[in-house]
Amino acid sequence: MTGGHRRILVVEDDPETAGQLVEELTTSGYDVDLAASGREALSHGAARDYAVITIDRMLPDIDGISVMRQLRDDGVAAPFLIISALGEVDDRVRGLRAGGDDYLVKPFSFTELLARLEALGRRSETIAKETLLRVGDLAIDLIARNASRRGRKIPLLPREFQLLEYLVRNEGRVVSRAMLLQHVWDLHFDPSTNIIDVYVGRVRRKVDDAQAYPLIHTIRGIGYCLRAPG
């Protein structure tokens, strides 16, 4: 994993194992969050963008497979490395079919764990470059067709998502109402319609309200521009 995307979520209920994982991963240069239960894992996983999530199958409240399935249903795309004492072939197959990307059986070598994390991280970075668009703290997922700011999902209707995607793809450029009407609605310019202003207003409220800084800016007499500060 390169750049700033080296944050890992460790889901492990055994204090000794969890402590060793956090210490070793931190020493190896990773930023690590720890969840000791399935509910904590669901909370962390939905709130942050992780390069990899390591998860134990046997948790005290919700089993690891159910946690993976729920996070996948919630649109979490981070790869899962299952770490479990359940090492039979059927156990590994069930974990991988449930959404796991790799499976490591306890006890394990930490060197092997690092190698597997690096491999999953490279895969994660490649997928992210192809399917995620980012401007500041805004991320839009082109596969799941959803958007979020600081990890919090933004509820968008399909046309609102198309509008936001077009603005993001043209980050820093001023786009006119005619351009939006043509590329988002596939219509030629109609000077009597206010549909652009209505939809931009809706998207702006969903994207910018209660945020530290606005992303969508009105360029008077021309159109709109989406840009982050700085």
Side-chain angles (χ1 to χ4, degrees), residues 87-105:
E88 298 297 325
V89 172
D90 287 347
D91 295 320
R92 298 199 300 271
V93 168
R94 182 165 179 252
L96 294 171
R97 284 180 172 171
D101 297 273
D102 200 357
Y103 201 109
L104 188 59
V105 179

Side-chain angles (χ1 to χ4, degrees), residues 149 154 164 203-209 211 215-216:
R149 281 194 76 171
I154 301 170
L164 181 60
V203 173
R204 175 183 273 148
R205 285 191 293 274
K206 293 181 178 183
V207 170
D208 287 340
D209 278 4
Q211 297 293 336
L215 291 172
I216 301 173

Side-chain angles (χ1 to χ4, degrees), residues 47-123:
R48 302 200 70 159
D49 182 20
Y50 292 100
V52 180
I53 297 174
T54 74
I55 187 165
D56 189 359
R57 281 189 55 177
M58 296 182 290
L59 297 170
D61 50 357
I62 309 170
D63 68 272
I65 285 180
S66 297
V67 171
M68 284 194 306
R69 285 174 172 159
Q70 182 61 57
L71 287 173
R72 285 284 185 251
D73 289 344
D74 291 343
V76 173
F80 285 95
L81 171 58
I82 302 170
I83 301 177
S84 177
L86 301 174
E88 298 297 325
V89 172
D90 287 347
D91 295 320
R92 298 199 300 271
V93 168
R94 182 165 179 252
L96 294 171
R97 284 180 172 171
D101 297 273
D102 200 357
Y103 201 109
L104 188 59
V105 179
K106 297 177 180 178
F108 54 86
S109 159
F110 190 75
T111 302
E112 182 181 3
L113 171 64
L114 282 179
R116 289 173 182 260
L117 287 176
E118 291 293 341
L120 289 173
R122 288 193 296 271
R123 188 189 312 173

